[in-house]
């Protein structure tokens, strides 16, 4: 399996749970009857049309949320997690529902962001182009942003096998950039993933925290990107040794507050040398452990 499949597999679990297969043929799983599917589609379309009578949403909010659709159409079998719905009628409505919305951290997507991501990664996984498949008329800025971000992140991700276990978080990071209105160049995306690949071992906890921060605002964290990318073998060797000593003398506070936040604190080699010196003295004389 080619590594670019990480996106659809990860988001299928992350967004919709592991109990349903996103690749199931497009039938309503609860009934299997084409009539039920037509009734669901008709209800969704009529409900959306009614919502549009009151306006087509705003820059900060979609006209109708997935929860509202569930309330209106649940009785006829509407289930946004069902493949035939998620990749059928909801997919077709994406450009229209997101047409007025401006991507930002304050935008209320009403769970249409989850529908967009699920469909986008499905297209990407099949080798297609997200924008052409989901919004060929280029009506939605949001769709374009997410398409660009996910495509760039996915292409770069393939070059970093050390990040394989962080696939979900990195996929969410790329999608979040698009939803929040960040447009990173291919050079910037490469810098970000290079830094994560460099810091993930041995700084797993700190790197995971860093990914979350990058998801919220990549541009505000470029100084940490530079720091993470600069960590060399000598620094990592000292950090591992300091961690080993801290574990032996049960310095749990240092482990959680310093080692697990090494990127956030931007520790220097001098900081590590000082810690190693203190820990070694503690090994020899426990009366010095609290100093």
């Amino acid at each position: 399996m080619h590594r670019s499949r990480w996106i659809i597999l990860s988001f299928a679990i992350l967004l919709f749970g592991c109990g349903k297969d996103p690749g199931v043929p497009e039938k309503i799983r609860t009934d299997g009857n084409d009539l039920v599917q037509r009734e669901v589609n008709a209800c969704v379309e009529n409900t959306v049309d009614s919502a549009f009578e009151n306006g087509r949403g705003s820059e900060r909010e979609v006209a109708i949320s997935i929860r509202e659709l569930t309330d209106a159409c649940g009785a006829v079998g509407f289930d946004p997690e069902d493949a035939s719905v998620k990749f059928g009628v909801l997919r077709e409505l994406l450009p229209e529902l997101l047409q007025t919305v401006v991507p930002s951290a304050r935008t209320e997507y009403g769970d249409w962001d989850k529908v967009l991501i699920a469909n986008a990664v499905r297209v990407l996984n099949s080798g297609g182009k997200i924008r052409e498949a989901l919004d060929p008329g280029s009506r939605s800025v949001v769709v374009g942003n997410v398409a660009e971000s996910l495509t760039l992140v996915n292409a770069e991700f393939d070059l970093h096998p050390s990040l394989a276990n962080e696939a979900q978080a990195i996929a969410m990071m790329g999608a979040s950039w698009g939803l929040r209105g960040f447009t990173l160049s291919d050079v910037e995306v490469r810098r970000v993933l290079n830094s994560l690949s460099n810091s993930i071992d041995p700084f797993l906890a700190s790197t995971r925290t860093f990914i979350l921060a990058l998801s919220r605002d990549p541009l505000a964290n470029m100084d940490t990107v530079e720091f993470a990318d600069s960590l060399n073998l000598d620094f990592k060797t000292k950090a591992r040794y300091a961690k080993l000593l801290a574990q032996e003398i049960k310095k749990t506070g240092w482990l959680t507050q310093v080692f697990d936040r090494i990127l956030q604190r931007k520790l220097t080699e001098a900081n590590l040398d000082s810690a190693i010196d203190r820990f070694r003295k503690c090994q020899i004389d426990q009366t010095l452990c609290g100093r």
Side-chain angles (χ1 to χ4, degrees), residues 98-275:
L98 297 175
Q99 185 174 5
T100 64
V101 174
V102 175
S104 79
R106 299 183 300 278
T107 299
E108 296 290 340
Y109 287 103
D111 282 343
W112 284 95
D113 51 337
K114 295 180 180 180
V115 176
L116 169 58
I117 294 168
N119 278 279
V121 298
R122 196 183 205 217
V123 171
L124 192 60
N125 183 60
S126 69
K129 295 183 179 181
I130 298 171
R131 188 63 180 260
E132 291 180 6
L134 301 185
D135 185 17
S138 298
R139 299 165 67 183
S140 169
V141 175
V142 175
V143 175
N145 276 18
V146 170
E148 182 176 359
S149 294
L150 279 178
T151 301
L152 286 175
V153 169
N154 186 54
E156 188 64 28
F157 181 86
D158 272 358
L159 305 177
H160 298 283
S162 63
L163 297 175
N165 290 336
E166 309 310 311
Q168 285 187 7
I170 292 173
M172 180 58 81
M173 178 183 72
S176 180
W177 292 346
L179 294 168
R180 289 170 174 257
F182 292 105
T183 304
L184 274 67
S185 68
D186 56 346
V187 173
E188 290 170 323
V189 171
R190 188 174 303 118
R191 284 183 61 200
V192 168
L193 268 72
N194 280 342
S195 72
L196 297 175
S197 181
N198 188 49
S199 66
I200 195 77
D201 182 18
F203 309 118
L204 177 59
S206 187
T207 300
R208 285 176 171 171
T209 300
F210 182 34
I211 292 172
L212 293 176
L214 285 167
S215 298
R216 292 188 292 269
D217 190 337
L219 302 182
N221 286 279
M222 283 301 176
D223 58 334
T224 309
V225 168
E226 184 175 352
F227 175 76
D229 197 39
S230 72
L231 302 178
N232 57 32
L233 181 60
D234 287 343
F235 183 93
K236 293 179 182 181
T237 301
K238 288 184 178 181
R240 288 189 178 96
Y241 183 46
K243 178 182 180 180
L244 179 63
L245 292 174
Q247 289 171 331
E248 289 179 356
I249 62 176
K250 296 181 170 50
K251 283 285 187 179
T252 56
W254 188 88
L255 290 169
T256 58
Q257 299 301 316
V258 180
F259 186 87
D260 286 350
R261 294 186 54 78
I262 207 159
L263 301 181
Q264 291 70 31
R265 286 174 168 265
K266 297 183 177 61
L267 251 62
T268 65
E269 285 198 48
N271 295 142
L272 291 174
D273 288 336
S274 177

Side-chain angles (χ1 to χ4, degrees), residues 26 65 162 291:
E26 294 179 356
S65 69
S162 63
R291 298 182 182 179

